[in-house]
Structures are given as structure tokens and as C-alpha cells.
């Protein structure tokens, strides 16, 4: 039974991967390469002494932004598109559970994002090496691994909203969660500074509910080769994985209650 379940999930993931990878994903990689090739000469003109540091920051930021855009705009439509096209009516009567559909779609898009992040990282590192810019390889690779964990979490958020709202609303909500996730620690600190018990309780509640995406943002530390300790890295990775599993469980619960 477990083998059949894994097989069905793998089939859904493979089909989803093939569908998305054909949908102009390689244009994203091309745009990224063009952006970096054009940016370096411009940076040398406007930042004579700090262009290397700015270029490293720009490359990491571009990988993050483009990855998130794909995760949100594709992720919110993964299930919603099946509902709108009514293909979900064909899939559900078959021996495919709704949980298998959610998990398969999630893994399929993660495969696409893995290809995207690996390709952009390879281009980024190649341009750094070609231009003689010294960089901490291990730190940058670890930073990109945590960027991938963040993308996995964002895809789970997109799926959760996508199973019960329209694609547009799901996109807006996911963008909101992404932005708030990066600001959740700042919101918590503002609550403490307010010295108001009610505000502090509200901000603390928001911090506990919203994903703390700053845990997975290691870009600035990676540029200087100053990453958190191994214990902290393990804690952050565990947090991201457990939060992603929780979001997928919520998405499955909501989707299982929908009538078609």
C-alpha cells in the first residue's frame, strides 16, 4: 500500500515538474544571467571600491527574488488550475487521495525550484570566478540551501491558499505572508518597545503564528563568511521543515473538505 502511495505521489510530482519546467522557466535563468552580466560593468562605474561586495549581494538577492516569484505565482495555481479546468473531477475518482495530490504537486514544483536555484547559483559562482572576485564558497552554498528551504515553505503557503481561494487572492495572501515573515521579528520588537501590554500580546501572537523567514535568510552573513553555529543552522532547518509539513497538513485538511 505504501509503495503504491509513493508511486502515485512520484507520478504526480513528475508530471507537475514536466509541466512547469516547460512553462518558460528557462527564460528566468536567462534573465538572471543577463542581469548579472549587465550589472557588473555598471557597478564598476558607480561603486569603484565596493563593486565586488555589491555584486555578491545583488546575485544572492536576485536568486532569492526570482525563486520566490516562481514559487508564489506557480504555486498558487497548482491546485487552483486543476479546479478551474475541472481536471480535479477526473483525478479524484481515481485511486489518488487528495493528500497525494497536494504532496505530489508540492514536490513537483520543488523539483523545478531546485533546478532553478542550482542553475542560477552555478551562473553566479562562474561569474564571480571569471571576474576574479574572492568569495566564501561554503557559506554561499549553505545560504542557497536555506534559500531553497524558504522556497519550500513558500510553496506550501501558496498551496494552502490556492486550495480554497482564487489564484489572484492566493497570490496576494502569499506575498503578504512572505513580507510579514521577513518582518515578524521587527514587529515583535516594536511591540516590546511600545510598552503596551495589549500591543505586545498581539505582536507576540503574530510572531508565533507567522513563519519567521529571517531564520532562513543567510545572505548577508554568507557574503562575509560568517554563518550561525552548526546547532543554530540545524535548528533553523528543522523549523523550516516542520513549518512546511504543518502548512501542507492544513492544505490537505482544507482540500479534503471541499466538494466538487
Amino acid at each position: 500500500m505504501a509503495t503504491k502511495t509513493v508511486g502515485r505521489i512520484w507520478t504526480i510530482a513528475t508530471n507537475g515538474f514536466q509541466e512547469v519546467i516547460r512553462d518558460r522557466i528557462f527564460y528566468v535563468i536567462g534573465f538572471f544571467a543577463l542581469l548579472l552580466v549587465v550589472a557588473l560593468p555598471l557597478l564598476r562605474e558607480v561603486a569603484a571600491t565596493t563593486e565586488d561586495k555589491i555584486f555578491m549581494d545583488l546575485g544572492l538577492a536576485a536568486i532569492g527574488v526570482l525563486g520566490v516569484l516562481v514559487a508564489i505565482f506557480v504555486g498558487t495555481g497548482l491546485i487552483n488550475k486543476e479546479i478551474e479546468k475541472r481536471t480535479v473531477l477526473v483525478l479524484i475518482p481515481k485511486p489518488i487521495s487528495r493528500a497525494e495530490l497536494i504532496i505530489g504537486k508540492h514536490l513537483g514544483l520543488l523539483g523545478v525550484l531546485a533546478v532553478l536555484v542550482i542553475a542560477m547559483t552555478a551562473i553566479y559562482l562562474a561569474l564571480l570566478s571569471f571576474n576574479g572576485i574572492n568569495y566564501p564558497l561554503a557559506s554561499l552554498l549553505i545560504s542557497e540551501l536555506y534559500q531553497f528551504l524558504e522556497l519550500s515553505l513558500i510553496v506550501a503557503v501558496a498551496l494552502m491558499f490556492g486550495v480554497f481561494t482564487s489564484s489572484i487572492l492566493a497570490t496576494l495572501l502569499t506575498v503578504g505572508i512572505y513580507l510579514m515573515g521577513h518582518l515578524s521579528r521587527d514587529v515583535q520588537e516594536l511591540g516590546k518597545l511600545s510598552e503596551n501590554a495589549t500591543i505586545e500580546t498581539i505582536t507576540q501572537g503574530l510572531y508565533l503564528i507567522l513563519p519567521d523567514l529571517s531564520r532562513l535568510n543567510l545572505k548577508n552573513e554568507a557574503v562575509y563568511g560568517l554563518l550561525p553555529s552548526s546547532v543554530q543552522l540545524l535548528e533553523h532547518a528543522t523549523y523550516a521543515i516542520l513549518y512546511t509539513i504543518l502548512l501542507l497538513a492544513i492544505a490537505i485538511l482544507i482540500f479534503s473538505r471541499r466538494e466538487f
Side-chain angles (χ1 to χ4, degrees), residues 10-29:
W10 178 255
T11 300
I12 294 169
T14 303
N15 290 337
F17 175 85
Q18 293 173 347
E19 180 183 351
V20 176
I21 205 73
R22 293 194 300 262
D23 195 18
R24 301 181 181 178
I25 290 300
F26 291 109
Y27 288 113
V28 177
I29 299 173

Side-chain angles (χ1 to χ4, degrees), residues 247-260:
L247 290 170
L248 288 175
I250 295 172
I252 291 168
L253 178 63
I254 296 171
F255 193 49
S256 65
R257 294 176 179 275
R258 286 203 61 173
E259 297 294 336
F260 300 102

Side-chain angles (χ1 to χ4, degrees), residues 184-203:
S184 59
R185 287 190 181 182
D186 295 329
V187 171
Q188 183 189 32
E189 291 301 318
L190 285 174
K192 291 178 180 179
L193 291 174
S194 70
E195 297 183 355
N196 183 302
T198 302
I199 295 177
E200 189 171 348
T201 300
I202 293 172
T203 54

Side-chain angles (χ1 to χ4, degrees), residues 25 36 50 53 76 79 83 86 98 110 169 222 237 252:
I25 290 300
L36 293 193
T50 59
K53 167 66 168 55
T76 51
I79 300 296
I83 296 173
R86 314 303 292 175
R98 302 192 185 198
L110 279 194
L169 183 56
I252 291 168

Side-chain angles (χ1 to χ4, degrees), residues 130-161:
F130 180 77
N131 289 281
I133 300 174
N134 294 322
Y135 57 90
L137 177 60
S139 296
L140 293 180
L141 291 178
I142 291 173
S143 171
E144 288 312 303
L145 174 60
Y146 279 75
Q147 173 68 55
F148 181 72
L149 290 176
E150 179 181 342
L151 292 176
S152 176
L153 194 155
I154 292 300
V155 172
V157 173
L159 278 169
M160 183 186 69
F161 288 128

Side-chain angles (χ1 to χ4, degrees), residues 76-92 98 101-102 105 159-167 251 254-256 258-260:
T76 51
L78 284 176
I79 300 296
N80 205 284
K81 186 165 60 175
E82 302 285 358
I83 296 173
E84 290 174 354
K85 290 182 177 180
R86 314 303 292 175
T87 52
V88 71
L89 297 175
V90 178
L91 291 172
I92 288 179
R98 302 192 185 198
L101 185 61
I102 294 288
K105 291 289 187 180
L159 278 169
M160 183 186 69
F161 288 128
V163 296
F164 70 91
T165 63
S166 66
S167 295
I254 296 171
F255 193 49
S256 65
R258 286 203 61 173
E259 297 294 336
F260 300 102

